[in-house]
Amino acid sequence: MNILLINGSPRKNMNTAAILEKIAEGARSAGAETELVHLIGLSYKGCINCFRCKEPGGISYGRCALRDELTPLLQKAHEADALVLGSPLYFGTESAEMRAFMERLWYQYTTFSLEQPSAAPRKKAAALVYTMHVKEEELAASGKSSALKVSKETMDRLFATCEVFLCCDTLHVPDYGKYAMTRWDAPGKLRRRAEVFPKDLERAFALGVGMAAKR
């Protein structure tokens, strides 16, 4: 079992990365092989709508024809037994880095043919991980969760039933006093980091164990 985890956060050592690392740890404890890749630092574009992945019989049918630093990662995603995509929520949707990756990953497998609704190689276990500064009930009340629904439905259609992992009310920075962030309850954020985030990590570990079991 090979699980590829992709971090769409511009930070390699904060909330999203910590959750992904714990999922990977749980998966490894159950015998899976894992790899965590950070999108930040890679040079790539989103889909350029060239349609070469839609040419039956063409050398790029079902695969992204654009060549850049995302190409090897798309190959790894193609070959992986399971896929975990993680991103912070920015203005109600994934980071720019993750959205560009999703475009390239999804569009290559999306067909407009009634005979073949998907060009994905096979079904695979999948999960979407979201970290955010708002509380879960605030996310639902704001209506911003609609973008997440589209992402889950797309993963379901292309790969398999996709799990969604939400980590809410996260810590922005270690020291709120350094920034113009008086909107947030800094002591409350720090307290939640100490008391609740460890439980989020436990949930992440359990998710990894469960994904490794889907062989």
Side-chain angles (χ1 to χ4, degrees), residues 96-114:
E97 292 83 4
M98 179 55 74
R99 285 305 304 179
F101 173 79
M102 286 174 161
E103 287 180 8
R104 298 273 294 279
L105 175 71
W106 293 344
Y107 200 64
Q108 63 181 349
Y109 297 140
T110 299
T111 74
F112 303 109
S113 168
L114 295 175

Side-chain angles (χ1 to χ4, degrees), residues 120-143:
R122 56 190 166 84
K123 295 297 183 181
K124 62 180 70 183
L128 290 168
V129 171
Y130 294 110
T131 62
M132 65 205 78
H133 305 317
V134 300
K135 295 180 172 63
E136 190 168 354
E137 58 269 23
E138 293 172 341
L139 176 70
S142 69

